[in-house]
Amino acid sequence: IKALFPYLEKMMWQGGEVFSLEYFFDLLAESAKYPNIQQGIITNGQLLNEQIIDLLVDMNLELTVSVDGVNKKTYETIRKNASFEKLVRNMQYISGVRNKNNKNFTWGINFVVCEHNDNQLLSLFEIARRYNADFFCIMPLRYGVMTEIYDNNSVTKQINEIKKKSAEYNIQVENRVILLEDALVKDIPLKVDINEWIAFEKQNVTAKNKKTRLEYTLEMPN
């Protein structure tokens, strides 16, 4: 892979959790030396830290963080052995150190809808706004030809509301969930609750003693 870096234009790191691979840090540090490569990473964010995030923000990169819920119970029920606190802190740090004027780095949230979190779409979209995310992707949970069951009426209502707000929030929305026809959607109240998420935030998250890309690549773990 390293031998191809001088010739690549685009590259996507995905397929499981790339940061769980010991050699990925070495690959990432090496790829950072080639700013002309447009890179993408899909991660659950559990193995990120401030040093790695600073490097990612300084690269020509699209970062996608997979999020399963807006509260600790939902998130940790779906994503076993994960830490909701670590997710919140890392996402808050990304938001705090990224420069919105730097168009080379973009980031957003990937949300897989299932029966455990189907009432939290709109709340998570508000988190995306709070953290200045660039995009918000909504995915169905599939196993072979089977699709996970969820409250389609609630999900449709929430996604329709998200689409209305996407331009106002300046967040690109990609939806891959099949929605009900408008005539079939029942009028139900929509609820936004991000209080527990906010309770896990740190105060005043900012970049400290920011280094150059080269300095970070030299310090990345082997």
Side-chain angles (χ1 to χ4, degrees):
I1 296 176
K2 288 182 180 179
L4 296 174
F5 285 160
Y7 313 104
L8 295 177
E9 296 179 357
K10 293 184 178 180
M11 183 163 50
M12 174 63 74
W13 304 103
Q14 64 175 3
E17 179 52 48
V18 291
F19 287 101
S20 67
L21 303 173
E22 292 184 2
Y23 60 80
F24 181 66
F25 298 100
D26 181 49
L27 282 174
L28 184 63
E30 184 68 22
S31 70
K33 299 175 184 177
Y34 298 86
N36 291 330
I37 303 177
Q38 173 62 56
Q39 300 190 52
I41 296 180
I42 299 177
T43 176
N44 58 41
Q46 287 294 304
L47 299 177
L48 298 179
N49 57 40
E50 293 182 2
Q51 179 189 14
I52 296 171
I53 292 171
D54 285 341
L55 173 64
L56 299 178
V57 170
D58 197 41
M59 294 174 62
N60 184 17
L61 188 142
E62 178 184 276
L63 180 66
T64 303
V65 180
S66 298
V67 182
D68 304 304
V70 294
N71 58 54
K72 182 178 178 67
K73 180 179 179 180
T74 301
Y75 180 78
E76 294 184 1
T77 295
I78 296 173
R79 194 166 291 273
K80 300 298 183 181
N81 301 318
S83 166
F84 182 70
E85 180 178 14
K86 186 177 294 184
L87 170 77
V88 174
R89 300 290 174 82
N90 280 337
M91 287 180 58
Q92 187 190 14
Y93 188 78
I94 293 169
S95 175
V97 299
R98 68 85 54 100
N99 178 0
K100 193 74 172 179
N101 294 322
N102 176 16
K103 302 303 182 182
N104 287 334
F105 176 84
T106 58
W107 86 289
I109 293 172
N110 187 61
F111 184 81
V112 178
V113 181
C114 66
E115 61 182 348
H116 300 291
N117 62 15
D118 58 8
N119 64 339
Q120 298 182 15
L121 266 164
L122 194 55
S123 296
L124 189 59
F125 189 65
E126 291 297 329
I127 295 296
R129 179 197 189 190
R130 181 178 179 84
Y131 287 172
N132 293 314
D134 299 289
F135 56 89
F136 189 82
C137 185
I138 306 160
M139 306 283 291
L141 180 61
R142 291 195 177 98
Y143 181 76
V145 296
M146 301 295 291
T147 301
E148 175 75 16
I149 301 300
Y150 50 83
D151 186 338
N152 206 310
N153 188 79
S154 175
V155 169
T156 298
K157 284 281 291 184
Q158 290 175 86
I159 292 177
N160 285 343
E161 186 66 20
I162 286 171
K163 288 181 176 180
K164 292 177 184 177
K165 294 185 175 182
S166 61
E168 175 189 349
Y169 291 2
N170 194 26
I171 298 176
Q172 181 180 349
V173 175
E174 179 183 353
N175 172 51
R176 300 184 186 180
V177 174
I178 298 174
L179 304 180
L180 292 177
E181 294 291 336
D182 290 342
L184 299 177
V185 179
K186 298 177 182 178
D187 188 19
I188 59 173
L190 298 178
K191 181 181 179 181
V192 172
D193 184 359
I194 61 175
N195 291 328
E196 184 174 337
W197 184 292
I198 294 174
F200 278 86
E201 291 180 346
K202 287 183 177 178
Q203 299 299 317
N204 301 322
V205 175
T206 56
K208 298 178 180 179
N209 301 319
K210 186 170 176 58
K211 304 180 181 68
T212 65
R213 183 189 298 114
L214 178 59
E215 288 175 312
Y216 277 119
T217 59
L218 295 176
E219 293 177 5
M220 293 292 286
N222 295 323

